[in-house]
């Protein structure tokens, strides 16, 4: 009986192996979907803005019908930390979707990610798909030098596509917004220098501009939730150029570093003085954007004097305050050495759309056609906003584009008071074809302190910053690392920036002394191999310029 049982088991194994050999060998995802495809495209994407639900979204249904595909959404939140972790876990586990569609200010594939996963075969090259099925993406690559430089990797492959979101007001992201009501109440002129600004902040702190008889004013704040709410770059730019990310300088083609220079020390001394005098909120170095917004929305009295952000909606959600002239943009401050503003080509390097090796040929074609559609005006408008007549409308007589010389294309329809967001568009997920010409064609009211004129308000404010960056700026958005250097650079850069940020905080708060600890701080870069990092960045820059 025992031998018979063993024989039966062996026959079962042989039969199972034979049958398996007669079937198609396909890979499956966690949903059981075969790699060869069944008309279902799995996409990893963030959701959670308002009441958006991608699986039942109006634009999702439109796309599914238009491209004859069923989308299986694998969703995450708009929280940057958790979204990034979830994406990385999915890749590490091998249980990843056919495609990722991300939002750059939440999470995205860096250029190093693209090289790494592209070489591993996890991400598939898109070159042929774009040539055959994506004429609008191809046209953009052929006509937009910046976009092409940041899209084509050093090996010639295209492993992903970024949002082409050429946002004018995002091009100078580290703006300062100052409480105009308080300036008027205290009869203070608009500050023009770093010392003027300090004097204004002192008045905000001590002269009760909100009129409640309490010393509850917060003269200056910011946040660390997203890069552009960081208070340091705006303040530092009066002393030395701060790009807000890599702290790299470019002088006549030579790559250099800002955070070990004497001018950086001068900037820290100034920022330290603001902190020491109670003019700079300690929360600016620790709080997330929700906490920052609570300052701007404080119900009992207005308490925020000035704050850093690309636009005031990042620290004020109260509609009455937001759509008023309470907060207006402050021009770059003249310091002892400079009056710079941080410039950044607004398209984030890396990719927000990628296809993985799990996608069947059928799904690859459907996915690239969807992205190509988002590179058209029609697809972009519908994708971002949703239904015509509900979420957006076509131009009518008298409409003026945000750039007055541009042809009006569309106007978004703001929500009414108390109205929930509609589940009609994908919102930021769809911002692939938002070129400068597309954005300039958005219709805006000439009344800038209204919801309908908000984008024009930001456009006008940004004119104060345009052209105030140095003549040469390190083009981090279009410089690719040599694949053999990518891991080393990532490690060096992380260690260097962590050191800069941690030391900066200690200098500003007084935990480290700028008179006695500065030299040892500068020497600390030797241990972090700063020279090696700059050499690699120089090589990458030189190669990108050829």
């Amino acid at each position: 009986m025992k031998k018979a049982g063993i024989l039966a088991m062996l026959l079962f194994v042989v039969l199972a192996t034979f049958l398996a050999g007669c079937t198609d060998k396909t890979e499956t995802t966690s949903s059981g979907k075969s790699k060869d495809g069944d008309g279902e495209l799995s996409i990893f994407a963030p959701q959670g803005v308002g009441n958006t639900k991608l699986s039942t979204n109006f634009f999702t249904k439109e796309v599914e019908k238009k491209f004859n595909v069923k989308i299986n959404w694998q969703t995450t939140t708009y929280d940057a930390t958790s979204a990034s972790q979830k994406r990385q876990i999915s890749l590490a586990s091998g249980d990843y979707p056919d495609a990722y569609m991300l939002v750059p200010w939440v999470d995205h594939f860096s250029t190093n990610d693209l090289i790494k996963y592209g070489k591993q075969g996890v991400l598939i090259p898109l070159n042929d798909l774009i040539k055959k099925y994506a004429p609008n993406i191809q046209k953009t690559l052929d006509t937009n030098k910046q976009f092409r430089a940041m899209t084509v990797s050093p090996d010639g492959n295209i492993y992903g596509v970024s949002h082409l979101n050429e946002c004018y007001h995002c091009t100078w992201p580290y703006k300062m917004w100052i409480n105009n009501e308080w300036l008027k109440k205290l009869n203070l002129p608009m500050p023009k220098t770093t010392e003027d600004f300090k004097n204004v902040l002192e008045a905000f702190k001590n002269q009760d501009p909100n009129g409640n008889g309490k010393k509850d004013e917060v003269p200056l704040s910011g946040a660390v939730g997203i890069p552009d709410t960081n208070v340091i770059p705006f303040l530092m730019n009066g002393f030395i150029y701060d790009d807000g990310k890599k702290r790299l300088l470019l002088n006549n083609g030579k790559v250099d570093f800002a955070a070990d220079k004497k001018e950086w020390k001068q900037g820290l001394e100034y920022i330290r003085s603001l902190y020491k005098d109670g003019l700079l909120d300690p929360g600016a170095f620790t709080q997330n954007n929700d906490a920052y917004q609570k300052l701007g929305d404080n119900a009992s009295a207005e308490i925020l004097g000035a704050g850093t952000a690309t636009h005031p909606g990042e620290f004020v959600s109260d509609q009455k305050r937001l759509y008023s002239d309470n907060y207006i943009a402050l021009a770059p401050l003249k310091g002892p050495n400079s009056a710079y503003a941080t410039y950044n080509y607004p398209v984030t390097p890396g990719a927000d759309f990628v296809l993985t090796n799990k996608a069947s040929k059928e799904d690859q074609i459907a996915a690239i056609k969807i992205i190509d559609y988002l590179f058209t005006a029609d697809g972009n408008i519908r994708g971002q906003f949703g239904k015509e007549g509900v979420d957006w409308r076509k131009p009518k007589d008298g409409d003026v584009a945000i750039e007055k010389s541009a042809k009006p294309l569309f106007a978004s329809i703001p929500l009414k008071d108390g109205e929930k967001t509609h589940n009609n568009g994908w919102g930021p997920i769809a911002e692939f074809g938002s070129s400068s010409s597309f954005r300039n064609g958005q219709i805006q009211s000439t009344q800038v302190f209204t919801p309908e004129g908000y984008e024009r308000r930001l456009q006008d404010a940004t004119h104060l910053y345009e052209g105030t960056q140095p003549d040469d700026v390190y083009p981090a958005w279009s410089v690719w690392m040599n694949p053999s250097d990518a891991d080393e650079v990532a490690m060096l850069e992380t260690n260097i920036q962590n050191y800069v940020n941690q030391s900066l905080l200690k200098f500003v708060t007084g935990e480290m002394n700028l008179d006695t600890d500065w030299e040892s701080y500068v020497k600390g870069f030797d241990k972090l191999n700063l020279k090696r990092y700059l050499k690699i960045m120089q090589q990458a820059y030189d190669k990108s310029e050829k």
Side-chain angles (χ1 to χ4, degrees):
M1 288 293 292
K2 187 175 181 180
K3 290 182 179 178
I6 294 173
L7 182 59
M9 184 174 291
L10 287 172
L11 287 170
F12 175 80
V13 171
V14 172
L15 179 62
T17 304
F18 175 78
L19 290 173
C22 294
T23 59
D24 292 333
K25 294 180 180 179
T26 59
E27 296 178 24
T28 60
T29 68
S30 58
S31 63
K33 175 183 177 295
S34 72
K35 186 176 177 180
D36 288 339
D38 56 5
E40 183 172 280
L41 173 67
S42 59
I43 301 177
F44 178 103
Q47 76 171 1
V49 175
N51 66 336
T52 301
K53 189 173 182 181
L54 292 169
S55 61
T56 58
N57 185 272
F58 171 76
F59 187 67
T60 295
K61 294 177 181 177
E62 291 286 293
V63 162
E64 289 178 332
K65 182 179 179 181
K66 185 177 182 68
F67 298 104
N68 191 29
V69 66
K70 172 65 179 174
I71 299 177
N72 172 25
W73 294 101
Q74 298 177 11
T75 59
T76 184
T77 66
Y78 269 71
D79 178 81
T81 301
S82 63
S84 177
Q85 288 176 347
K86 189 171 181 180
R87 171 178 65 87
Q88 291 174 21
I89 289 170
S90 74
L91 287 163
S93 69
D95 186 21
Y96 46 80
D98 299 325
Y100 290 83
M101 288 183 65
L102 306 177
V103 175
W105 44 265
V106 177
D107 179 35
H108 72 119
F109 284 83
S110 68
T111 52
N112 287 347
D113 286 338
L114 295 178
I115 292 172
K116 173 184 174 181
Y117 293 115
K119 293 299 182 184
Q120 291 177 1
V122 174
L123 304 185
I124 65 171
L126 306 177
N127 307 50
D128 290 341
L129 286 168
I130 289 173
K131 286 179 182 178
K132 292 179 181 178
Y133 306 106
N136 299 293
I137 299 176
Q138 187 63 57
K139 182 180 178 181
T140 305
L141 288 168
D142 293 340
T143 58
N144 189 319
K145 182 180 178 181
Q146 291 271 38
F147 186 70
R148 183 175 185 82
M150 62 191 302
T151 303
V152 181
S153 71
D155 65 7
N157 283 321
I158 297 172
Y159 293 111
V161 179
S162 297
H163 282 185
L164 180 67
N165 188 10
E166 293 182 315
C167 165
Y168 173 74
H169 76 260
C170 309
T171 308
W172 291 269
Y174 295 96
K175 297 183 182 68
M176 182 68 71
W177 301 87
I178 193 165
N179 195 313
N180 188 43
E181 289 298 305
W182 290 7
L183 289 176
K184 291 187 288 187
K185 183 172 182 179
L186 300 179
N187 197 28
L188 297 169
M190 185 67 69
K192 295 182 179 179
T193 68
T194 52
E195 286 307 307
D196 289 345
F197 188 51
K198 184 175 181 179
N199 293 334
V200 165
L201 296 179
E202 287 174 342
F204 285 175
K205 177 187 176 185
N206 298 314
Q207 296 183 28
D208 191 27
N210 66 13
N212 67 353
K214 300 177 182 179
K215 210 168 184 180
D216 57 353
E217 288 83 0
V218 178
L220 170 63
S221 193
V224 293
I226 54 177
D228 60 273
T229 53
N230 185 346
V231 74
I232 297 299
F234 180 89
L235 299 175
M236 189 62 74
N237 273 322
F239 300 85
I240 189 171
Y241 183 67
D242 183 4
D243 65 13
K245 294 178 181 177
K246 298 180 184 295
R247 273 62 187 243
L248 291 177
L249 304 172
L250 190 62
N251 298 313
N252 296 318
K254 179 177 173 55
V255 180
D256 205 350
F257 192 60
D260 62 352
K261 301 291 184 291
K262 64 178 182 179
E263 293 88 354
W264 186 270
K265 181 184 177 185
Q266 285 180 285
L268 290 178
E269 288 170 344
Y270 173 73
I271 299 167
R272 164 64 181 157
S273 73
L274 298 183
Y275 184 92
K276 185 179 179 181
D277 294 345
L279 308 179
L280 174 55
D281 177 22
F285 301 103
T286 58
Q287 67 193 0
N288 61 21
N289 282 69
D290 289 338
Y292 189 24
Q293 199 162 82
K294 287 180 181 178
L295 289 179
D297 286 343
N298 190 65
S300 59
E302 197 164 72
I303 61 172
L304 183 61
T308 44
T310 300
H311 63 94
E314 291 179 316
F315 60 83
V316 177
S317 65
D318 177 86
Q319 301 290 287
K320 186 176 180 181
R321 287 181 191 171
L322 179 59
Y323 299 121
S324 72
D325 65 351
N326 280 29
Y327 291 99
I328 60 176
L330 177 62
L333 297 172
K334 181 174 176 54
N337 309 313
S338 54
Y340 291 135
T342 300
Y343 172 87
N344 181 57
Y345 181 58
V347 180
T348 305
D352 304 296
F353 167 77
V354 297
L355 276 171
T356 76
N357 58 6
K358 296 288 182 74
S360 67
K361 187 66 176 179
E362 176 187 11
D363 290 338
Q364 292 173 23
I365 294 170
I368 202 67
K369 284 184 175 181
I370 291 171
I371 302 302
D372 192 62
Y373 179 49
L374 295 175
F375 269 81
T376 68
D378 180 71
N380 200 343
I381 294 170
R382 295 177 188 277
Q384 283 195 58
F385 300 101
K387 285 185 181 181
E388 181 181 356
V390 176
D391 307 290
W392 65 277
R393 64 170 178 81
K394 291 179 180 178
K396 59 185 180 182
D397 290 344
D399 281 340
V400 181
I402 191 172
E403 191 62 44
K404 293 180 180 179
S405 60
K407 179 182 177 181
L409 292 177
F410 71 99
S412 61
I413 299 175
L415 295 172
K416 299 174 183 176
D417 288 341
E419 185 181 10
K420 290 184 178 180
T421 55
H422 308 138
N423 189 30
N424 291 336
W426 288 352
I429 297 172
E431 290 182 336
F432 281 93
S434 295
S435 64
S436 57
S437 59
F438 173 83
R439 292 186 64 98
N440 287 341
Q442 183 175 356
I443 295 161
Q444 284 281 290
S445 169
T446 55
Q447 302 298 312
V448 296
F449 296 110
T450 63
E452 296 81 5
Y454 188 68
E455 284 286 333
R456 186 182 302 281
R457 174 184 174 187
L458 304 184
Q459 191 98 344
D460 292 348
T462 306
H463 289 316
L464 296 172
Y465 293 76
E466 183 176 1
T468 59
Q469 70 273 13
D471 292 337
D472 293 324
V473 173
Y474 188 84
W477 49 88
S478 60
V479 173
W480 290 76
M481 292 298 105
N482 187 309
S484 62
D485 295 330
D487 289 340
E488 182 184 4
V489 166
M491 181 186 69
L492 289 171
E493 191 167 278
T494 297
N495 292 339
I496 290 168
Q497 293 309 321
N498 284 344
Y499 181 66
V500 170
N501 292 329
Q502 291 166 8
S503 300
L504 185 153
L505 182 58
K506 290 177 180 178
F507 280 129
V508 169
T509 59
E511 186 178 340
M512 288 172 64
N513 187 295
L514 280 160
D515 292 326
T516 59
D517 295 323
W518 176 256
E519 290 302 322
S520 62
Y521 158 74
V522 172
K523 288 180 181 177
F525 287 110
D526 292 338
K527 295 180 181 179
L528 297 173
N529 219 346
L530 176 63
K531 289 183 180 179
R532 169 65 178 163
Y533 172 69
L534 292 178
K535 181 180 179 180
I536 297 173
M537 300 307 283
Q538 181 75 60
Q539 291 170 344
Y541 171 74
D542 291 343
K543 189 174 182 180
S544 72
E545 291 298 293
K546 290 181 180 179

